[in-house]
């Protein structure tokens, strides 16, 4: 059977799923419950979409055991349908073939070391003493500075910049426009003028990390900025100098982290959240979107800040009352005369 076509039984066996129905059913792609057609597999993970199950035109659905009785088509049973579907979808992801070798337009320093199995694309620049390991793919327009290390099977998709002293582990994927290893925002006031603090550290990124488009990770002032293994950063994230991000942490788009903040493992950070510098975040902390974190979070759990959206008239009235909170609290702490009590 062609690589892009799999039997339902083959998929079930590969990912350890329970197949209900025709295990010879041919699957040639993926889709949603609402849009999938013959030959495609869909998934049901969120109960909000259960009402779409009865009318789905998918060839098969990945779902939990409790939803099998309501499924009109063949199905695969998974404890976590979403993660199972992610693995299945990867079977049908079109990935370009990368031919080993160096494009004629690439500019490579004489003392750089490029493994023969690596692929170096058009108009790439690689600086002195940089090492590119086996199977790495450096896409078109990438600029790799001096003293960088790119681990085995990394992929820099296109127009990625590694400024200097950036070390990537194995299987790191970086999307277009990202800048890794630029100067951190280090300034000192001297005689009424800003004095730039030299940024002498680097950036270390662990195995299996993924970094979104136009994300920036600054190099450390003295020690390195560090991403441990399996960290996932979305697009347009800003990571300041000397930040440490623990393994398996994920940050959604437009998160901004000031310098020297340290994150534990398995943290989940919602889009647009901001972190002041020099604080510590415990393992398994979840911060919801658009929150501002101004102090260390020492216990696992979910944290939020900010004002939810509301009609403008209500917001203006509540904002005016917010300014009165300090006066009201002081009045309450001072005690209220009995005649003033309701």
């Amino acid at each position: 059977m062609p690589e892009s076509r799999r039997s339902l039984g083959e998929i079930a066996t590969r990912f350890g799923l329970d197949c209900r129905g025709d295990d010879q059913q041919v699957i040639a792609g993926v889709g949603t419950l609402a849009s999938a057609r013959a030959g495609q597999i869909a998934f049901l993970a969120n109960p909000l979409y259960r009402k779409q199950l009865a009318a789905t035109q998918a060839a098969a659905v990945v779902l939990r055991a409790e939803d099998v009785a309501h499924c009109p088509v063949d199905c695969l049973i998974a404890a976590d349908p979403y993660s199972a579907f992610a693995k299945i979808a990867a079977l049908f992801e079109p990935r370009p073939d990368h031919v080993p070798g160096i494009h004629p337009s690439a500019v490579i320093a004489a003392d750089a070391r490029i493994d023969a199995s690596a692929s170096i694309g058009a108009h790439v620049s690689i600086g002195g003493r940089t090492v590119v390991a086996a199977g790495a793919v450096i896409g078109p327009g990438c600029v790799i500075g001096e003293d960088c290390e790119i681990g085995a099977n990394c992929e820099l998709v296109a127009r990625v910049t590694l400024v200097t002293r950036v070390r990537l582990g194995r299987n790191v994927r970086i999307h277009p426009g990202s800048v890794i290893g630029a100067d951190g925002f280090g300034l000192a006031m001297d005689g009424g003028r800003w004095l730039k603090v030299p940024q002498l550290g680097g950036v270390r990124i662990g195995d299996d990390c993924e970094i979104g488009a136009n994300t920036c990770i600054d190099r450390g002032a003295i020690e390195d900025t560090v991403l441990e293994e399996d960290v996932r950063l979305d697009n347009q994230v800003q990571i300041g100098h000397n930040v440490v991000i623990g393994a398996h942490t994920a940050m959604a788009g437009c998160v901004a982290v000031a310098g020297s903040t340290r994150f534990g493992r398995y943290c989940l950070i919602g889009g647009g959240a901001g972190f002041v510098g020099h604080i510590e975040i415990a393992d398994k902390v979840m911060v919801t979107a658009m929150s501002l974190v101004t102090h260390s979070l020492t216990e696992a759990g979910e944290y939020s800040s900010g004002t939810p959206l509301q009609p403008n008239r209500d917001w203006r009235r509540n904002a005016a009352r917010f300014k009165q909170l300090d006066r009201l609290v002081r009045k309450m702490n001072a005690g209220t005369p009995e005649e003033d009590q309701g």
Side-chain angles (χ1 to χ4, degrees):
M1 187 174 292
E3 187 69 17
S4 59
R5 296 165 63 86
R6 313 275 179 144
S7 73
L8 196 61
E10 178 186 354
I11 294 172
T13 300
R14 180 164 184 160
F15 299 113
L17 306 176
D18 184 10
C19 179
R20 299 290 178 88
D22 180 9
D23 62 2
Q24 297 304 307
Q25 170 88 267
V26 175
I27 303 299
V30 299
T32 66
L33 282 173
S35 66
R37 295 294 179 261
Q40 294 183 319
I41 190 168
F43 75 103
L44 172 61
N46 189 332
L48 293 175
Y49 294 97
R50 190 174 286 137
K51 59 187 178 182
Q52 297 180 2
L53 183 59
T56 188
Q57 299 298 306
V61 178
V62 185
L63 39 64
R64 294 184 177 89
E66 56 264 33
D67 293 314
V68 171
H70 307 288
C71 185
V73 298
D74 298 338
C75 59
L76 299 178
I77 301 174
D80 183 348
Y82 189 57
S83 62
F85 181 79
K87 295 173 184 177
I88 294 168
L91 298 175
F92 303 98
E93 181 183 13
R95 300 294 295 271
D97 292 328
H98 297 290
V99 179
I102 300 173
H103 192 276
S105 64
V107 178
I108 313 293
D111 56 352
R113 290 186 287 136
I114 314 297
D115 189 274
S117 65
S119 175
I120 310 299
H123 306 292
V124 167
S125 173
I126 297 180
R129 300 173 300 282
T130 283
V131 177
V132 180
V137 175
I138 312 299
C142 290
V143 177
I144 314 299
E146 297 179 339
D147 299 304
C148 292
E149 297 178 13
I150 299 173
N153 301 314
C154 287
E155 181 180 6
L156 280 57
V157 177
R159 296 184 294 101
V160 172
T161 300
L162 307 185
V163 179
T164 187
R165 297 188 294 279
V166 177
R167 284 169 283 175
L168 308 182
R170 300 171 60 90
N171 306 314
V172 175
R173 193 177 192 200
I174 306 179
H175 292 275
S178 289
V179 178
I180 316 296
D183 277 1
F185 195 57
L187 300 170
M189 182 60 71
D190 180 46
R193 297 179 63 86
W194 288 116
L195 180 66
K196 182 177 177 61
V197 177
Q199 304 293 287
L200 306 178
V203 177
R204 289 186 284 121
I205 296 177
D207 295 348
D208 303 311
C209 291
E210 184 164 8
I211 297 167
N214 296 321
T215 283
C216 295
I217 303 174
D218 295 340
R219 68 175 176 261
I222 298 176
E223 298 179 342
D224 293 342
T225 302
V226 177
L227 276 63
E228 295 180 353
E229 70 270 16
D230 192 34
V231 169
R232 308 299 172 118
L233 304 183
D234 196 3
N235 301 336
Q236 297 183 323
V237 171
Q238 164 63 36
I239 303 298
H241 58 186
N242 297 109
V243 168
V244 176
I245 302 178
H248 316 294
T249 289
M251 297 184 178
C254 299
V255 168
V257 181
S260 299
T261 290
R262 300 180 67 91
F263 290 84
R265 297 160 62 92
Y266 293 101
C267 293
L268 297 175
I269 312 302
F275 293 78
V276 302
H278 302 274
I279 61 175
E280 297 201 9
I281 309 300
D283 293 347
K284 297 183 179 179
V285 163
M286 176 184 291
V287 176
T288 59
M290 302 301 293
S291 295
L292 175 61
V293 181
T294 59
H295 59 271
S296 293
L297 303 177
T298 58
E299 296 183 1
E302 185 172 356
Y303 297 83
S304 301
S305 72
T307 303
L309 186 72
Q310 54 192 304
N312 184 259
R313 179 179 295 180
D314 293 343
W315 181 87
R316 291 171 65 88
R317 183 163 50 244
N318 290 332
R321 289 171 177 166
F322 183 81
K323 296 178 181 179
Q324 302 172 23
L325 285 178
D326 182 65
R327 179 179 60 81
L328 292 172
V329 170
R330 290 175 183 273
K331 183 177 179 180
M332 290 174 62
N333 288 341
T336 304
E338 290 185 2
E339 60 268 25
D340 290 344
Q341 296 179 3

